[in-house]
Amino acid sequence: MSQTDDRDRPEWPAELTRVPYWVFQRQDIYRAEQEKLFRGPYWSYLCLEAEVPAPGDYRTSFLGDTPVIVSRDQDGELYAFENRCAHRGALLALDDGGNAKDFTCVYHAWSYNLQGDLTGVAFKDGINGRGGMSKHFCLEDHGPRKLRLAVVSGLVFGSFDEDVPDIEDYLGDEILSRIERVLGGRTPVVLGRFTQLLPNNWKLYMENVKDSYHASILHLFFTTFGINRLGQRGGIIVSESGAHHVSYSAIDPEIEHDAAYSQQNIRSDSEYTLADPSLLNGFSEVGDDITLQILSVFPGFVLQQIQNSVAVRQILPRGVTSTRLNWTYLGFEEDTPEQRTVRLKQGNLVGPAGYISMEDGCVGGFVQRGIAGASDQQAVLEMGGASAESSDSRVTEASVRGFWKAYREGMNLRQEKNQ
């Protein structure tokens, strides 16, 4: 790969099994990520179609740290544009969503339609023939930047880059089919939302999502109650580019209490019990026996099915050492009342205080703090080999290596020829 413009930046090791810690620490890297990844030729998740169902409905969202608005116009089509007035840069929409006929900037009352076109400027012609804008000022020449949109099974993705591949090519057949497995043929309903602030670089959380190897080691609940053990039937799917992944497994009662974990002498093998075991009672989500599927789309989207807890996660950088994580919990219009109850109960499994995933909210911070004086050192990603390929084993870091493969390509980072 060609060199970056920043000549003082340390070189990147050639192997996918080494990740330099400086990539989580440098401000210049953060700025480059915003430009090359989040505003580059990639698709970023914005919202659900179900959140903007009617004409006039809108949701505010982000591409990286760039605020955007997704709206449905009176023609029934979705549009997206920067949440930024073309005049002095103020936000156009100040809340998370709602219904509107248009958007008017609170600062100087420049107004925009639901497609993001500038339609009016207060006092454009001045007062009594004095003041106002130049006679050459043209509304059509001003406005926030607009996004290209794509919808996959009710998920709305956006990109500022007109050259981004079609979403079907971007994701590939395997990832598309796994999204369709969870969301296809059903109408999502938002059951609840959480926003979580993480004390670490966004890439540390993305690593965590793709790391099937850690899940039943770090998470006491997973292993104790047999929801996720590495000996269960399952596997890893890594897209050809390395960018996207799926980890999946099925509960197998015959190995729920195998000896493999006790032999490792790790904290996730415990004798805890549930006061209410019905928490784990569920139903077949889509007619198969897969009870856990975690899917990620580069650069920052996650679709989860953990038992009957279905949710989407949006990973948003908020600085070098801060990440905003948006959780949206889903049910479906087709659910029976009993199924809805199961979903609401199992919503307690995940999220900022979830029985399973609360550890993920702090472990990235442990890494960020641990590497504070080690910018010249490297993480080791050798579990399961050195490749970024699909596997029928989840005792691997293949999908984490896949993330870094896609990341290095997108960031055009140098690599050492000799390590």
Side-chain angles (χ1 to χ4, degrees):
M1 293 182 182
S2 62
Q3 293 183 344
T4 63
D5 293 333
D6 192 344
R7 300 300 177 127
D8 71 335
R9 186 179 301 157
E11 290 186 331
W12 193 293
E15 298 91 339
L16 288 176
T17 58
R18 296 293 184 273
V19 176
Y21 289 135
W22 54 256
V23 78
F24 305 110
Q25 299 172 320
R26 295 179 61 115
Q27 184 63 42
D28 61 328
I29 289 291
Y30 179 85
R31 291 194 300 267
E33 289 168 350
Q34 297 302 313
E35 188 63 32
K36 294 182 179 182
L37 303 183
F38 292 98
R39 292 191 292 272
Y42 298 91
W43 289 105
S44 290
Y45 170 77
L46 300 178
C47 67
L48 295 159
E49 259 198 309
E51 295 177 295
V52 282
D57 287 348
Y58 70 92
R59 288 287 298 175
T60 55
S61 188
F62 291 87
L63 259 77
D65 58 13
T66 303
V68 300
I69 297 172
V70 180
S71 62
R72 191 177 295 277
D73 200 0
Q74 300 303 318
D75 62 3
E77 297 296 321
L78 289 176
Y79 297 88
F81 47 93
E82 276 185 294
N83 189 2
R84 174 186 61 84
C85 181
H87 179 212
R88 300 274 286 278
L91 292 171
L92 293 175
L94 302 178
D95 49 14
D96 292 333
N99 186 277
K101 294 182 179 179
D102 54 25
F103 299 98
T104 299
C105 178
V106 68
Y107 199 178
H108 297 96
W110 284 35
S111 57
Y112 303 81
N113 63 23
L114 293 170
Q115 298 186 25
D117 301 320
L118 179 63
T119 55
V121 172
F123 301 113
K124 176 177 175 291
D125 299 323
I127 298 177
N128 297 325
R130 301 175 64 181
M133 304 296 288
S134 163
K135 65 179 181 179
H136 302 295
F137 181 81
C138 180
L139 295 177
E140 290 77 12
D141 293 339
H142 299 271
R145 289 175 292 183
K146 297 184 179 182
L147 284 71
R148 181 178 168 187
L149 291 182
V151 179
V152 177
S153 295
L155 305 171
V156 181
F157 292 87
S159 178
F160 279 117
D161 196 310
E162 283 297 320
D163 295 325
V164 64
D166 289 342
I167 192 72
E168 294 79 11
D169 296 329
Y170 182 78
L171 295 174
D173 291 341
E174 284 189 303
I175 303 299
L176 278 170
S177 68
R178 289 291 179 150
I179 294 175
E180 176 75 13
R181 175 189 167 272
V182 177
L183 299 178
R186 300 191 286 181
T187 306
V189 175
V190 175
L191 300 182
R193 299 184 180 92
F194 290 101
T195 293
Q196 182 177 8
L197 293 178
L198 306 176
N200 52 264
N201 189 275
W202 70 276
K203 298 183 294 296
L204 287 171
Y205 187 78
M206 202 61 186
E207 276 196 329
N208 177 277
V209 166
K210 290 174 173 285
D211 180 3
S212 58
Y213 159 52
H214 89 279
S216 61
I217 299 174
L218 174 66
H219 302 312
L220 186 71
F221 198 96
F222 256 156
T223 306
T224 299
F225 299 105
I227 296 175
N228 185 0
R229 297 171 76 95
L230 290 171
Q232 292 170 347
R233 180 174 58 83
I236 297 288
I237 299 170
V238 183
S239 66
E240 184 176 352
S241 66
H244 325 303
H245 103 291
V246 179
S247 173
Y248 64 94
S249 63
I251 292 177
D252 185 345
E254 293 184 4
I255 62 169
E256 279 187 22
H257 303 289
D258 61 24
Y261 282 81
S262 59
Q263 292 170 358
Q264 304 301 315
N265 192 31
I266 54 180
R267 65 177 291 275
S268 59
D269 186 55
S270 78
E271 298 300 324
Y272 287 107
T273 60
L274 285 172
D276 180 11
S278 70
L279 174 68
L280 300 179
N281 294 342
F283 55 93
S284 177
E285 187 61 48
V286 293
D288 59 22
D289 61 353
I290 293 176
T291 50
L292 184 146
Q293 176 180 294
I294 304 295
L295 180 151
S296 70
V297 173
F298 189 90
F301 170 75
V302 181
L303 170 64
Q304 71 163 53
Q305 175 222 333
I306 301 176
Q307 299 282 81
N308 299 119
S309 176
V310 177
V312 295
R313 311 177 201 170
Q314 183 186 33
I315 303 167
L316 298 173
R318 285 295 173 266
V320 175
T321 61
S322 182
T323 300
R324 174 174 168 175
L325 178 60
N326 292 333
W327 299 76
T328 304
Y329 294 78
L330 303 180
F332 300 92
E333 287 186 2
E334 296 78 8
D335 288 343
T336 65
E338 294 76 17
Q339 290 173 331
R340 180 64 53 84
T341 298
V342 169
R343 293 196 194 284
L344 291 171
K345 182 178 286 190
Q346 292 190 358
N348 292 293
L349 294 176
V350 290
Y355 295 137
I356 292 170
S357 60
M358 59 182 173
E359 295 95 343
D360 291 329
C362 60
V363 72
F366 295 165
V367 176
Q368 196 76 52
R369 290 157 57 189
I371 65 175
S375 60
D376 60 341
Q377 301 297 304
Q378 303 164 354
V380 177
L381 300 176
E382 295 186 11
M383 184 61 67
S387 70
E389 298 176 348
S390 300
S391 169
D392 59 2
S393 170
R394 291 177 297 126
V395 191
T396 179
E397 292 164 320
S399 51
V400 183
R401 292 189 289 268
F403 172 80
W404 291 112
K405 175 184 175 182
Y407 179 89
R408 294 195 317 195
E409 179 72 24
M411 291 287 286
N412 200 24
L413 289 165
R414 292 176 290 178
Q415 300 174 32
E416 294 176 358
K417 293 182 179 179
N418 298 303
Q419 175 64 19

